[in-house]
Amino acid sequence: MKTTRGDFPQEINLHLISYLEMLQRKGIKSIYLTPPGAVHEATAEQKQLSGDQERSVAKETMGGIVEKLSEVDAKVSVCEDCGLHRGRTNTVFGTGNPGTKVMFIGEGPGRDEDIQGKPFVGRSGQLLTKMLGAIDLSREDVYITNIVKCRPPDNRDPQEEEVRCCEKYLIAQIDLIRPRIICALGRVAAHWLLDTKDSLAALRNRENFYRGTQVLVTYHPAALLRNPGLKRGAWEDFKQLTAIISE
Ligand code: URA
């Protein structure tokens, strides 16, 4: 096989170049040279440290992420970049484990979330918690957030300007947490993340990426409450998620 620099077969280099060009066209100006999740793995230097030293370096790294996330949260809490701030009781930033491999993204806070300042705490949230339990995960094992951090009035879909204003916060969360996979909950989250209007069925059945991170699309828990017949499909999606995060 013909090889070039770095012993990559030439055809892989060509694929890589066209992939990078596609990212550039989408406005992505920088990419990580380490795979997602690598921040949570031991570095070469860490591997040479004693167990105690290693744990303290890992803790510091995680401590840094937690601190930066709270800085972003503080900015969100006073954000007035779009009209949604006028109707909010609380901003809803995100909760869970910043060292997780999986980040769940819904569309936006509802009434209960707006009151409590936490994502997915109403009926949909209770179902999400149960679904996580079915794959042996708790809410503390994962990270949960939304496309927009303030409640849209009457639970309407977030509008383009609102999503554009809020995207910087979601990007900051993803860049800090660097999950192995994002799970988009429902049509609205999937459409905004993947910049498409394709059907949920199509999106559930293909490999998707948001800024280089794999996105698994599944039903919104509210849709499962309205139509329990969809639960079988959601279960398939969750099994796929388990397989990916146990790789
Ligand atoms: N629905 C969402 O999309 N997000 C929440 O936080 C709650 C309900």
Side-chain angles (χ1 to χ4, degrees):
M1 194 181 277
K2 200 168 175 186
T3 60
T4 58
R5 259 187 70 204
D7 270 357
F8 273 73
Q10 194 170 32
E11 54 272 39
I12 295 186
N13 273 342
L14 292 175
H15 282 303
L16 190 59
I17 288 166
S18 70
Y19 178 65
L20 292 174
E21 284 170 350
M22 184 274 289
L23 292 181
Q24 206 169 33
R25 281 196 299 279
K26 289 192 157 203
I28 293 169
K29 298 197 181 74
S30 54
I31 56 165
Y32 292 104
L33 293 177
T34 47
V39 73
H40 312 310
E41 285 163 16
T43 59
E45 292 87 343
Q46 252 175 280
K47 281 182 186 146
Q48 284 168 7
L49 300 172
S50 73
D52 279 354
Q53 286 168 318
E54 197 178 297
R55 271 188 293 281
S56 98
V57 172
K59 235 194 240 162
E60 249 173 55
T61 318
M62 195 46 63
I65 294 171
V66 170
E67 197 178 315
K68 289 196 178 104
L69 279 171
S70 17
E71 284 165 19
V72 184
D73 188 2
K75 285 188 188 150
V76 168
S77 69
V78 292
C79 177
E80 298 189 351
D81 289 355
C82 81
L84 289 184
H85 77 275
R86 287 191 206 97
R88 76 179 174 222
T89 313
N90 288 295
T91 53
V92 179
F93 182 62
T95 52
N97 179 358
T100 189
K101 284 188 176 179
V102 52
M103 179 186 273
F104 287 85
I105 304 183
E107 60 183 80
R111 186 174 162 276
D112 296 310
E113 290 76 21
D114 174 67
I115 292 169
Q116 295 189 40
K118 293 191 187 120
F120 283 95
V121 288
R123 278 188 73 218
S124 295
Q126 284 157 22
L127 179 55
L128 178 61
T129 307
K130 269 198 202 153
M131 291 161 71
L132 288 172
I135 53 167
D136 280 333
L137 290 176
S138 72
R139 290 174 69 104
E140 290 71 38
D141 292 321
V142 303
Y143 193 86
I144 306 175
T145 188
N146 281 301
I147 295 280
V148 292
K149 315 300 191 212
C150 295
R151 182 190 183 198
D154 302 321
N155 297 341
R156 66 155 167 73
D157 290 354
Q159 293 169 353
E160 169 141 22
E161 198 230 336
E162 296 156 357
V163 175
R164 295 280 163 247
C165 287
C166 226
E167 193 178 22
K168 54 185 175 288
Y169 303 128
L170 183 64
I171 290 174
Q173 287 173 304
I174 296 170
D175 286 355
L176 285 167
I177 294 170
R178 302 184 66 198
R180 162 69 182 82
I181 188 158
I182 289 169
C183 181
L185 295 168
R187 172 188 57 86
V188 174
H191 281 180
W192 284 116
L193 287 175
L194 304 172
D195 193 19
T196 176
K197 292 277 183 252
D198 288 354
S199 71
L200 202 69
L203 296 170
R204 283 183 58 237
N205 282 305
R206 70 174 186 235
E207 209 174 21
N208 308 284
F209 289 89
Y210 175 68
R211 302 177 84 249
T213 303
Q214 190 178 347
V215 178
L216 184 135
V217 175
T218 190
Y219 299 104
H220 193 285
L224 302 177
L225 289 171
R226 282 193 303 271
N227 183 355
L230 300 176
K231 282 187 184 169
R232 181 188 287 266
W235 174 235
E236 292 305 321
D237 298 337
F238 267 56
K239 279 200 293 195
Q240 207 185 324
L241 187 67
T242 316
I244 293 167
I245 58 179
S246 1
E247 271 164 11

